[in-house]
Amino acid sequence: GQKVVVKPNIGWDVSPERAGNTNPKLVSRIISHCLNAGAKEVYVVDHTCDEWTRCYKNSGIEKTVKDVGGKIAPGASESYYNDVAIPKGKSLKKTKEHELILNADVFINVPILKSHSGTSLTIAMKNLMGNVWDRKYWHGTDLHQCIADFATYRKPDLNIVDAYAVMKSNGPRGVSVEDVVMMKAQLMSTDIVAVDAAAAKLFGMKPEAIDYIQIATDMKVGRM
């Protein structure tokens, strides 16, 4: 009877084999499991980087969500976002978060593991940037601190990292399929810091080398 919100990465107008977005097959299986477990409704939402209708369509996620009985929700208008305070934040004291996530009974975070030009890696904590309206502040202030700050606010009930096809270079958008390596892996944890640390190791990096993972550990968001 619960309302579930699934938050994949749908940020980019690229096809699934480019591994710029969460794999649509994984998203559909999560929705099916939630509905089979008795969820009243399952929504999928992201605040995309490229034009949202093209991202939703060309990622393959919109079709697969509808095919299994999920609901696609847009994130492209400020009117969908509500003001929230971040009491434990150091650089990020307030932001605007999507109302669907604020009102969810269950929140499942489904990032894809890939390289990122600004933060070396984007995984579970950074995927939460798709929950908020104003990302420019994060980029212009202290990106790693803001990522860790926001992770103190609303921890997902479950984090499922798509590490099946992994973009090893030229992230977050990628250039071609040449950037992608098949790892055929998946990581799951209720601890967002632990799952990011494990994913960093899988990628071939030390977790402490990713600033936001170290900061979130120091802030006791989770365990590295």
Side-chain angles (χ1 to χ4, degrees), residues 32-180:
S32 295
H33 281 307
C34 290
L35 292 172
N36 289 339
K40 181 182 178 182
E41 49 195 357
V42 183
Y43 287 91
V44 174
V45 65
D46 193 13
H47 182 193
T48 65
C49 301
D50 289 339
E51 202 278 320
W52 77 273
T53 58
R54 293 185 61 84
C55 292
Y56 277 35
K57 180 183 178 184
N58 295 330
S59 65
I61 289 175
E62 181 172 21
K63 181 181 186 303
T64 197
V65 167
K66 291 178 177 178
D67 284 349
V68 294
K71 299 178 180 180
I72 279 280
S77 169
E78 190 173 356
S79 63
Y80 301 128
Y81 296 79
N82 296 336
D83 291 320
V84 295
I86 315 295
K88 296 180 181 177
K90 294 180 180 179
S91 293
L92 188 71
K93 299 288 188 180
K94 61 181 181 179
T95 191
K96 289 187 173 185
E97 183 164 26
H98 200 290
E99 59 190 6
L100 264 181
I101 296 165
L102 290 172
N103 296 322
D105 297 310
V106 178
F107 171 41
I108 303 175
N109 184 28
V110 195
I112 187 165
L113 169 62
K114 57 180 178 174
S115 75
H116 193 282
S117 56
T119 55
S120 298
L121 292 180
T122 172
I123 327 168
M125 277 188 277
K126 192 174 182 310
N127 194 49
L128 300 183
M129 287 183 75
N131 295 12
V132 305
W133 177 249
D134 181 14
R135 291 182 292 233
K136 289 182 180 177
Y137 176 82
W138 299 40
H139 285 286
T141 308
D142 182 342
L143 181 55
H144 287 274
Q145 184 66 56
C146 287
I147 291 169
D149 285 348
F150 191 62
T152 67
Y153 170 65
R154 168 75 194 264
K155 295 186 183 75
D157 296 291
L158 183 63
N159 302 280
I160 304 172
V161 178
D162 174 10
Y164 193 87
V166 175
M167 186 189 294
K168 291 284 284 185
S169 56
N170 296 315
R173 198 180 196 280
V175 176
S176 72
V177 292
E178 300 298 317
D179 298 322
V180 180

